[in-house]
Amino acid sequence: MTVRRSAAALATTAVLLGVAAPVAVAPVAVAAPSPSPSADLPAGLYGTTDPTYDGVWRQSLAFLAQKIEYVTPSTQSVDWLVGQQCDSGAFTSYRDASKPCDASTVMDTNATAIAVQALVEINQRREDANNGADWLKSVQNEDGGWGYNPGSPSDANSTSIVIGALARTGVPVNELTTKNGSTPYTALQSLAIACGEKDGGAFAYQPGKKGELAANMDATAASVLGLMGKGIASGTSNAVKDPSCTKGDDLSPEQSAQNGASFLADTLKKQPYLEQAPMPGAEDSAPQPDYGNTSDAVVALAASGHADKAKASVAWLQKNGTGWAKQGGPAATAQLILAAHATGADARSFGGVDLVKQLNSMGPSPAATALPSPTPTGPQPSSGTDSDDGGLSLGWLIGIGLLAGTGIGFLLSMRGKKKQP
């Protein structure tokens, strides 16, 4: 759903703002290298920047955005993604696939979860997706959630994207109960700020040193999707609702999700975009717009029944976000496509830019492309219980009608993390 909150994404922000790039938040604290010549990159990979910290993320997010626009990624690009998977089922952020994974390989729950979602949505390599889901289940923390790497403390972003991956593979998330009775949903709800308090409805990324919870926009958008059991390419909800923040200690996951959506709606009512946290060493600088988090909030609002509350933000992204997307590469472009799709905007003419064409040009030529652009209430991601040989879904049948006479491709339907106060 989001641009990877990694050194690569932060370095792009630095280029746009004219400031020094900060260090990465995980898994390795170094800044992303400058763009590399395409000839130096692996065949099949999307984007032109060093993939060390976001290769799997940007590839998978590109697939998710292409899927909802009826674009089938090339076999070469799918093979590259699957080649990043270890025998255990886990993915790393990026690795040299010519060497086997070993004890020194840094497994990444976020990369694994988004890769699983992408493979399910494009309806390819389902066995590999299931293998990834099994690995994710095996590294669940005792509090019910997941951290960025196996064994690290649970955080809202990682837990949410893993929930989305497991739900898309047909896993009953509410039944993933640990020895102490915790589920992924209770892990997320433990990070919710109670209604009636300052920033009530919002979610923290992780508790502070004293257990305090600080509102985090990225974590809030992610938690809304997670608590609804939805993946990144979730589209929009047909049930239009009025935002509200429900008080109480025994809320359902849906109620907690709606509380988060209410907080996002109230925040975007004040201005149509979210802001970045101050860059390290630049605390006195003026706040800068956060295009990625704004896109995430739009998707979360639409998925929870509040697409009308995101209209001003979509208009703002159309006017201001296309330059960011082009500079940010496939992940940023994919984010805008997801935001456009969720709210009924045309991703093929978004602020005067054909985002789908732009994304397609950032990787190997697609195997198939279809028009017109789907609407948010049209064909949606197939059910998480579909298998490679499970027959034709409604989305496939609609796609066949659209593609008749022009060739038939697959109908293709984040979240990295960011420690932002």
Side-chain angles (χ1 to χ4, degrees):
M1 166 192 142
T2 67
V3 170
R4 180 58 173 250
R5 307 311 192 198
S6 65
L10 293 173
T12 297
T13 302
V15 171
L16 293 174
L17 299 181
V19 298
V23 297
V25 294
V28 182
V30 293
S34 300
S36 305
S38 298
D40 296 338
L41 298 174
L45 176 67
Y46 281 63
T48 59
T49 56
D50 188 297
T52 301
Y53 308 112
D54 76 335
V56 168
W57 183 267
R58 74 196 195 203
Q59 191 90 347
S60 301
L61 200 60
F63 288 179
L64 291 170
Q66 287 179 318
K67 193 271 184 183
I68 62 173
E69 289 292 334
Y70 297 159
V71 176
T72 307
S74 69
T75 299
Q76 182 186 46
S77 62
V78 176
D79 288 345
W80 180 87
L81 178 61
V82 174
Q84 291 291 297
Q85 190 174 31
C86 300
D87 289 342
S88 65
F91 284 78
T92 66
S93 300
Y94 172 79
R95 72 184 184 91
D96 180 354
S98 67
K99 302 175 182 178
C101 300
D102 57 27
S104 66
T105 304
V106 181
M107 307 302 182
D108 181 338
T109 62
N110 288 232
T112 303
I114 195 169
V116 166
Q117 289 192 43
L119 293 175
V120 170
E121 301 304 349
I122 65 174
N123 200 28
Q124 298 187 49
R125 309 296 287 268
R126 184 53 186 268
E127 183 177 346
D128 297 303
N130 290 344
N131 194 22
D134 288 342
W135 178 81
L136 289 169
K137 288 189 291 183
S138 75
V139 296
Q140 183 182 17
N141 289 336
E142 276 303 305
D143 65 1
W146 285 265
Y148 192 93
N149 303 115
S152 61
S154 297
D155 65 76
N157 295 42
S158 299
T159 300
S160 296
I161 193 172
V162 171
I163 288 175
L166 296 178
R168 298 304 296 131
T169 55
V171 175
V173 177
N174 61 322
E175 295 179 9
L176 289 178
T177 306
T178 62
K179 293 179 181 178
N180 62 10
S182 297
T183 71
Y185 295 132
T186 56
L188 280 182
Q189 288 178 302
S190 71
L191 297 171
I193 299 175
C195 296
E197 298 182 7
K198 181 179 181 297
D199 297 326
F203 287 77
Y205 173 75
Q206 286 177 327
K209 294 181 179 179
K210 297 181 180 180
E212 70 276 13
L213 299 178
N216 181 298
M217 296 297 182
D218 196 25
T220 301
S223 296
V224 169
L225 289 182
L227 286 164
M228 293 187 297
K230 293 189 175 184
I232 289 175
S234 57
T236 192
S237 171
N238 292 323
V240 179
K241 305 175 182 179
D242 291 326
S244 62
C245 200
T246 303
K247 297 181 179 180
D249 298 325
D250 189 24
L251 303 180
S252 68
E254 166 70 16
Q255 287 174 317
S256 295
Q258 289 299 325
N259 288 352
S262 176
F263 176 79
L264 291 174
D266 286 345
T267 302
L268 291 175
K269 187 187 300 183
K270 301 169 186 175
Q271 63 181 22
Y273 60 88
L274 302 178
E275 295 179 343
Q276 294 177 343
M279 304 290 277
E283 285 79 2
D284 295 332
S285 62
Q288 298 293 331
D290 192 322
Y291 303 93
N293 275 357
T294 301
S295 300
D296 295 346
V298 166
V299 172
L301 285 171
S304 55
H306 310 294
D308 58 320
K309 306 303 179 184
K311 287 184 177 180
S313 297
V314 174
W316 181 85
L317 287 169
Q318 287 179 307
K319 183 178 180 180
N320 301 282
T322 55
W324 163 79
K326 185 174 183 179
Q327 180 74 29
T333 301
Q335 275 189 280
L336 284 193
I337 292 174
L338 292 172
H341 173 78
T343 53
D346 187 357
R348 298 176 189 265
S349 182
F350 192 82
V353 176
D354 186 336
L355 295 174
V356 180
K357 181 178 179 180
Q358 179 171 293
L359 179 60
N360 292 345
S361 71
M362 294 176 175
S365 297
T369 304
L371 289 172
S373 179
T375 65
T377 54
Q380 295 297 308
S382 58
S383 71
T385 56
D386 284 351
S387 63
D388 289 344
D389 58 356
L392 294 179
S393 65
L394 175 61
W396 267 97
L397 294 174
I398 296 173
I400 289 172
L402 288 172
L403 293 168
T406 61
I408 298 176
F410 291 102
L411 272 188
L412 310 178
S413 315
M414 120 173 47
R415 133 143 254 308
K417 77 178 191 179
K418 177 181 182 181
K419 295 183 180 179
Q420 173 186 312

